[in-house]
Amino acid sequence: MDAEEFRRRGMEMVDYVANYLENIEQRPVYPDVEPGYLRSLIPTEAPLEPDNYDDIIKDVDRVIMPGVTHWHSPYFFAYFPAATSYPALLADMLCGAIGCIGFSWAASPACTELETVMLDWLGKMLNLPEHFIAGTHGHGGGVIQSTASEATLVTLLAARCKAVRRVQASNPEKSEAEILSKLVAYTSEQAHCSVERASLIGGAMIKKVPTDNNYAVGGDMFKKMLEEDKAAGLIPFYFCATLGTTASCAFDRITELGPICNKENIWMHIDAAYAGSAFICPEFRPLLNGIEFADSFNFNPHKWLLINFDCSTMWVKKREDLIGAFKMEPLYLKHENQESGKKRFRSLKMWFVFRMYGIQGLQAYIRKGSNRLNELLLKRITKSREIHLVPCQLSGRFVLRFAICARTTDSRHIQQAWRHITQLTFEILQEPNH
């Protein structure tokens, strides 16, 4: 494929993608295939001679699309949001074309520096404490990871390294193996399984803290476990708090947990993988109160902030804690700005999206149920005459009331009404300025 054909095929692919996303609701959201369906649809070996591009595209529809779960369908309500946007997709295309490998500043200065600045932009949107902002002279800062699971593993390993050094500083006679055998990490019994998996990879003991009736970890239970474990000769070194648990979106009480962790020299990592995007809205920012006690914080813009996978943002209070745990200096990587090294040019997606939506546009996307949108939705519902609703005012918000009124109403009618509301909402969101 030469440059001329690439231009032509590129425009065709943009049309294909746009048509796919515009008409995605017409596709079954979940595929009707059995495990192993694909193997029988393609040859058992790669072609010896080149295939025709048109045949490849035909096979996308014949082989691939029947086995796709359509995460961007308006009927997809599983797992978590996986938001994307046209600006992010365009930036991803450019990222692939540039193709830099940003393992150091010298390997690609723009890749390194844009990532640092974008994490500062986003950190300021979230109103993170100043020590998380790199700026030009800050001690902390942000870095893009692939997933929140990766961020948990990286911070646990950094915390383990820091704990070993701290113990050996006051007890030089203790071996690393002896210290490691006594280290213990903690997380909520409601936390994502990736926290336990990180402890297995990191070779650290982990204990799950029981939650209260709201499925949240509080300070009293955590403090009790710490006292028992320290009395048994264990060394608490890491706690992963969750803001928005997988099962119930529960929020651990970090304003209680943070001071305990700081007092006990325990690294507190905050995993807000899904819910974190909401904190760019001032009305939701209080849910992040207590972040000032954390050593690290992570959430996934690829879940709810219009940036396609993968883009998981992580901040640390002190960069040296992270760099010191993984620092290697072979001659071919030595450079005065080595500590700034990144990976792929994922910050391009952030830059495009932040500039084309603006903070207000991103906040409006998170809120969705604005007064203006709800008023327009009610007008469309009334005009359709398929169902009938009336609104109310709650704390200045225009709210649609859904009351089950008739004796003969059953689940079938409710589901049909919900489908109708969802369809009208989707149509409105697809219109310009929505």
Side-chain angles (χ1 to χ4, degrees):
M1 181 180 289
D2 57 20
E4 183 179 346
E5 184 181 3
F6 174 71
R7 287 189 179 95
R8 179 165 57 88
R9 298 301 189 181
M11 288 187 283
E12 290 174 1
M13 182 57 74
V14 168
D15 283 341
Y16 185 95
V17 170
N19 288 333
Y20 166 73
L21 292 174
E22 281 187 325
N23 300 294
I24 195 170
E25 67 176 296
Q26 297 172 15
R27 298 177 182 265
V29 64
Y30 190 76
D32 183 19
V33 296
E34 297 296 328
Y37 88 96
L38 188 145
R39 185 172 291 274
S40 65
L41 298 178
I42 60 177
T44 57
E45 296 179 357
L48 188 62
E49 299 292 334
D51 269 349
N52 181 277
Y53 181 83
D54 289 323
D55 290 338
I56 295 172
I57 294 300
K58 288 176 183 176
D59 280 350
V60 170
D61 289 320
R62 182 182 68 88
V63 178
I64 303 302
M65 285 302 177
V68 170
T69 299
H70 299 286
W71 280 57
H72 303 295
S73 168
Y75 301 110
F76 183 90
F77 301 109
Y79 307 116
F80 49 80
T84 188
S85 63
Y86 292 125
L89 293 176
L90 291 173
D92 233 4
M93 185 186 299
L94 180 58
C95 176
I98 293 174
C100 63
I101 311 298
F103 51 73
S104 69
W105 180 88
S108 191
C111 175
T112 295
E113 295 193 14
L114 185 63
E115 183 165 324
T116 300
V117 175
M118 286 304 98
L119 270 291
D120 277 2
W121 276 20
L122 185 52
K124 290 173 183 177
M125 288 186 216
L126 297 164
N127 195 22
L128 293 183
E130 187 65 29
H131 55 245
F132 283 119
I133 307 300
T136 53
H137 304 291
H139 296 292
V143 64
I144 300 176
Q145 305 286 353
S146 297
T147 63
S149 303
E150 183 178 289
T152 301
L153 173 60
V154 167
T155 56
L156 183 140
L157 294 176
R160 185 188 70 174
C161 180
K162 187 176 182 180
V164 169
R165 291 173 179 172
R166 183 179 67 247
V167 174
Q168 285 186 325
S170 55
N171 300 275
E173 75 285 356
K174 290 186 180 292
S175 68
E176 182 173 338
E178 182 183 359
I179 298 170
L180 289 174
S181 69
K182 295 184 181 298
L183 292 181
V184 57
Y186 303 85
T187 194
S188 165
E189 63 182 3
Q190 296 292 317
H192 192 271
C193 63
S194 61
V195 184
E196 187 173 6
R197 189 179 299 119
S199 73
L200 291 172
I201 296 171
M205 184 189 325
I206 189 166
K207 295 195 173 186
K208 297 182 179 180
V209 184
T211 57
D212 59 21
N213 291 335
N214 293 316
Y215 306 106
V217 171
D220 292 341
M221 179 58 72
F222 182 47
K223 189 183 297 185
K224 180 184 177 190
M225 289 184 68
L226 291 179
E227 291 171 354
E228 293 173 352
D229 289 343
K230 288 194 298 180
L234 298 177
I235 305 172
F237 81 102
Y238 180 84
F239 177 74
C240 180
T242 303
L243 298 183
T245 58
T246 303
S248 64
C249 208
F251 282 62
D252 291 337
R253 306 184 192 287
I254 57 175
T255 53
E256 300 175 11
L257 299 163
I260 298 172
C261 289
N262 289 179
K263 180 182 177 183
E264 300 290 341
N265 271 325
I266 296 171
W267 182 302
M268 184 168 79
H269 174 65
I270 295 178
D271 177 0
Y274 166 28
S277 296
F279 303 148
I280 69 169
C281 298
E283 65 268 32
F284 301 132
R285 176 54 178 80
L287 294 169
L288 191 55
N289 288 349
I291 183 66
E292 62 271 17
F293 301 111
D295 295 276
S296 55
F297 167 69
N298 164 258
F299 84 99
N300 293 341
H302 66 232
K303 283 185 176 171
W304 200 11
L305 209 58
L306 296 171
I307 298 170
N308 55 299
F309 186 85
D310 61 346
C311 183
S312 183
T313 48
M314 182 183 81
W315 290 263
V316 290
K317 182 182 290 186
K318 295 181 180 178
R319 288 196 305 273
E320 64 184 27
D321 290 339
L322 211 59
I323 296 165
F326 306 107
K327 194 168 188 178
M328 298 284 288
E329 290 191 321
L331 183 61
Y332 54 81
L333 288 182
K334 281 186 180 294
H335 190 277
E336 61 180 343
N337 290 303
Q338 181 192 337
E339 79 165 53
S340 300
K342 305 293 184 275
K343 299 173 187 175
R344 289 177 282 121
F345 212 169
R346 291 172 290 195
S347 55
L348 273 177
K349 296 187 287 191
M350 301 175 70
W351 194 43
F352 274 45
V353 169
F354 293 166
R355 293 183 67 183
M356 294 198 71
Y357 279 86
I359 295 175
Q360 292 182 346
L362 294 171
Q363 289 171 337
Y365 172 73
I366 294 293
R367 291 168 178 143
K368 282 190 175 180
S370 65
N371 286 352
R372 180 169 170 265
L373 176 60
N374 285 346
E375 289 171 4
L376 181 58
L377 176 58
L378 181 61
K379 288 180 181 178
R380 298 282 179 89
I381 290 172
T382 302
K383 185 177 180 180
S384 72
R385 300 201 303 215
E386 186 168 323
I387 63 174
H388 185 54
L389 296 179
V390 293
C392 66
Q393 285 280 347
L394 287 175
S395 302
R397 301 291 299 276
F398 187 92
V399 178
L400 303 187
R401 294 178 66 256
F402 189 97
I404 299 173
C405 303
R407 177 185 61 81
T408 54
T409 300
D410 60 26
S411 59
R412 171 174 59 88
H413 301 102
I414 295 170
Q415 290 168 5
Q416 183 176 339
W418 180 249
R419 283 194 295 270
H420 183 62
I421 293 170
T422 301
Q423 175 63 32
L424 290 177
T425 303
F426 180 77
E427 290 175 0
I428 293 171
L429 292 175
Q430 296 305 301
E431 296 172 359
N433 303 320
H434 290 298

